[in-house]
Amino acid sequence: MSRGRGKVKNSESDMDIARCSICGTQQQLLRCAKCKTVYYCSPAHQLLDWPSHRQDCRLLARQRAASNNNKPPMQQQQQQLQQLQQAVAATTLEGSGSVSGAGANCSTAQMMTPAHQAQSWPAEVDNILNLLGQPSQAQAGDGHKQQQHQHHSHHGEKSSSYQIGLADSSFMGSGSERRYEDLCRNIISDMNQYGLSVVDDFLGMETGLKILNEVGSMYNAGAFQDGLVHNQKPDAPSIAVRGDKIRGDKIKWVGGNEPGCSNIWYLTNQIDSVVYRVNTMKDNGILGQYHIRERTRAMVACYPGSGTHYVMHVDNPNKDGRVITAIYYLNINWDARESGGILRIRPTPGTTVADIEPKFDRLIFFWSDKRNPHEVQPAHRTRYAITVWYFDAKEREEALNRAKLENSKTNNVAAQSQAQQAEPDSTTTPPAPPAAASAPPSSSLPASMSTGTGAMNANVSSQSCAANSEICT
């Protein structure tokens, strides 16, 4: 069999049949990302063919780029949108057929697996949590509470918390009340039974693609930063650990009012609407134990492939106020068998494991505390997700009070340290210079040094307060 460049043309009927360039199969094909012309059934076959495909790939890519440049911009956008829509349509769950959110449905039970059948799950969750450490109580708070928005230091950025339920929420506009009711009831049932809930086809293909476009534009513009780890025990010995050994994602905090983020804002509004509804409905089970009226900004995350991952952890191990984690996925044509990237959750008690693929337009909810240790398994292609955390009012207020107390103690220690440094030391103070010397006033040099020391201490104090305000994610 002659090796074609991704398409075998043995007869007129086979002119447009895509096949693996190595073995000729038509199953589970992947297309070369650069030239978008040659197909393979697996990364192994792509690697095998690369020595001979390398030159053709560059030539085909240039020809494709030149062809696209000759098209009007509107035609290029329409073509790209059509290609994305076709890709999404090919990966929707069988029988759903949703393009406008009307088919949003809970599929949690399909994700659950008996714990003994799950592979690569550590036997002792507590041991791993202890090894990683947990954030101090001082890290729980985030500054002074305001009526609508709270600003605090979060992973080096200015972050905000947002009120929900201030006005009547509208989910997917009008005319969908019955479906909205059913969806919320299913989420309540899932949270009671499993501690998590999976909703597929949440917003529909068109809206999901708009969100993906905004996220991709931010990432390509270099707006993302490495995800940080703020969860080492304060009394643990100092151990140098590379960040990518724990988490390899890159993140960007988004409020939704930034330029180019209107669709992300719409997404968070829709999630707000669902969370507020399930928290205020009658007979809502465990959700009725909380008073949820506030959330974080959205954390947009990208795992850039190459095995990037996030080891097993708990979002809120020390009662910082977060009670619900909501994650929305944006990954078209995702196949975990090839791309990995599964979110594995082990709800406690650990009789089952949930393996959740980060599929396009999928939304998940789970408890943020120790009930749900979870990990992101190594991802072998770019993986996008948007996460929002929702606060319980009582636990949040307690966390803020602890943070204020800790900040007060830190400031007192800094003030005492500064006072001690300002005290004269008779054993080291040099004798005063002769009065006739034409030197600058004697007070200027010590005053300058004292001011510098004070500024240094003030900076240390300020940094400590900022660190104590961060939320571990």
Side-chain angles (χ1 to χ4, degrees):
M1 178 188 77
S2 105
R3 264 204 197 154
R5 295 262 62 85
K7 292 184 180 178
V8 178
K9 300 180 180 179
N10 294 332
S11 65
E12 197 135 331
S13 62
D14 287 341
M15 285 287 287
D16 295 322
I17 297 178
R19 301 178 186 272
C20 175
S21 184
I22 294 296
C23 65
T25 183
Q26 302 176 36
Q27 304 298 318
Q28 299 181 346
L29 293 179
L30 303 171
R31 188 170 60 177
C32 175
K34 187 172 183 179
C35 70
K36 303 187 187 307
T37 304
V38 181
Y39 293 82
Y40 302 97
C41 65
S42 66
H45 278 188
Q46 182 184 24
L47 186 63
L48 184 64
D49 192 45
W50 179 242
S52 60
H53 175 55
R54 179 188 290 109
Q55 296 299 327
D56 291 345
C57 183
R58 294 171 182 169
L59 177 61
L60 291 168
R62 284 196 293 268
Q63 291 175 348
R64 184 180 182 86
S67 174
N68 287 337
N69 289 337
N70 292 331
K71 295 180 180 179
M74 184 60 67
Q75 185 176 349
Q76 293 182 34
Q77 293 178 4
Q78 291 176 347
Q79 183 181 14
Q80 292 173 357
L81 179 60
Q82 184 179 10
Q83 291 172 349
L84 285 172
Q85 289 175 337
Q86 291 172 349
V88 175
T91 58
T92 51
L93 293 180
E94 185 175 342
S96 65
S98 170
V99 295
S100 63
N105 61 90
C106 289
S107 53
T108 313
Q110 303 172 19
M111 313 296 164
M112 309 305 294
T113 304
H116 68 276
Q117 294 181 11
Q119 298 178 355
S120 303
W121 186 264
E124 299 295 337
V125 176
D126 289 339
N127 288 344
I128 292 183
L129 293 178
N130 289 333
L131 177 63
L132 292 177
Q134 298 172 352
S136 64
Q137 291 184 348
Q139 290 176 317
D142 69 353
H144 297 284
K145 193 168 184 179
Q146 301 177 4
Q147 183 173 358
Q148 187 161 359
H149 294 161
Q150 298 179 30
H151 299 287
H152 57 92
S153 174
H154 196 145
H155 288 193
E157 292 194 9
K158 188 177 184 182
S159 184
S160 302
S161 56
Y162 291 82
Q163 296 279 335
I164 68 171
L166 295 177
D168 292 337
S169 299
S170 176
F171 179 72
M172 299 297 181
S174 59
S176 57
E177 180 61 27
R178 178 57 184 273
R179 182 183 63 82
Y180 184 23
E181 177 86 9
D182 291 343
L183 175 63
C184 290
R185 282 293 169 197
N186 287 335
I187 292 172
I188 290 170
S189 176
D190 286 345
M191 296 297 285
N192 287 335
Q193 183 173 358
Y194 306 112
L196 60 102
S197 183
V198 181
V199 180
D200 283 312
D201 307 312
F202 180 59
L203 295 179
M205 175 174 58
E206 184 176 351
T207 303
L209 290 174
K210 292 177 181 178
I211 297 170
L212 176 60
N213 182 59
E214 289 182 352
V215 171
S217 296
M218 284 192 297
Y219 187 75
N220 292 334
F224 285 49
Q225 298 179 351
D226 290 342
L228 303 180
V229 178
H230 294 279
N231 63 343
Q232 186 173 0
K233 288 182 176 180
D235 57 345
S238 177
I239 301 176
V241 180
R242 288 176 54 192
D244 58 1
K245 295 294 184 182
I246 297 177
R247 63 183 295 185
D249 58 336
K250 296 181 179 297
I251 63 172
K252 170 69 177 174
W253 292 94
V254 175
N257 55 351
E258 301 89 343
C261 295
S262 60
N263 291 289
I264 297 176
W265 177 87
Y266 176 78
L267 165 68
T268 55
N269 260 6
Q270 296 303 298
I271 302 176
D272 289 350
S273 179
V274 172
V275 171
Y276 180 77
R277 183 65 170 266
V278 299
N279 183 232
T280 55
M281 292 177 73
K282 293 182 178 179
D283 303 321
N284 58 353
I286 301 174
L287 281 160
Q289 300 174 12
Y290 305 102
H291 184 72
I292 303 172
R293 296 295 183 273
E294 192 181 348
R295 63 164 171 83
T296 66
R297 291 206 293 179
M299 186 187 79
V300 185
C302 173
Y303 290 81
S306 302
T308 47
H309 63 286
Y310 198 153
V311 300
M312 184 178 13
H313 63 283
V314 172
D315 287 347
N316 175 22
N318 278 325
K319 297 185 178 298
D320 64 20
R322 289 176 294 171
V323 63
I324 291 178
T325 301
I327 307 177
Y328 181 75
Y329 292 115
L330 290 160
N331 307 295
I332 296 174
N333 215 13
W334 191 273
D335 184 350
R337 293 170 297 183
E338 295 288 342
S339 304
I342 282 177
L343 175 70
R344 172 164 286 184
I345 305 176
R346 184 175 185 176
T348 54
T351 57
T352 57
V353 166
D355 281 343
I356 301 171
E357 291 190 63
K359 291 186 175 181
F360 181 84
D361 201 26
R362 169 173 283 176
L363 173 67
I364 67 170
F365 300 97
F366 58 88
W367 304 123
S368 303
D369 57 22
K370 294 181 180 180
R371 286 172 285 186
N372 282 315
H374 55 282
E375 65 176 333
V376 176
Q377 296 185 344
H380 305 296
R381 56 171 275 205
T382 303
R383 177 190 187 274
Y384 289 117
I386 299 177
T387 304
V388 180
W389 287 273
Y390 290 85
F391 295 112
D392 171 58
K394 180 180 178 182
E395 184 179 308
R396 187 61 174 162
E397 183 177 3
E398 293 172 351
L400 291 172
N401 289 336
R402 290 197 304 270
K404 290 177 183 177
L405 179 61
E406 186 67 25
N407 287 343
S408 177
K409 293 179 180 179
T410 302
N411 291 337
N412 289 338
V413 170
Q416 292 175 5
S417 175
Q418 182 176 350
Q420 290 173 359
Q421 292 184 16
E423 292 177 357
D425 186 344
S426 61
T427 62
T428 58
T429 302
S438 59
S442 61
S443 61
S444 63
L445 184 59
S448 171
M449 293 178 62
S450 175
T451 301
T453 304
M456 184 181 298
N457 288 334
N459 288 338
V460 170
S461 174
S462 175
Q463 291 171 2
S464 299
C465 293
N468 291 340
S469 299
E470 290 173 348
I471 296 176
C472 173
T473 58

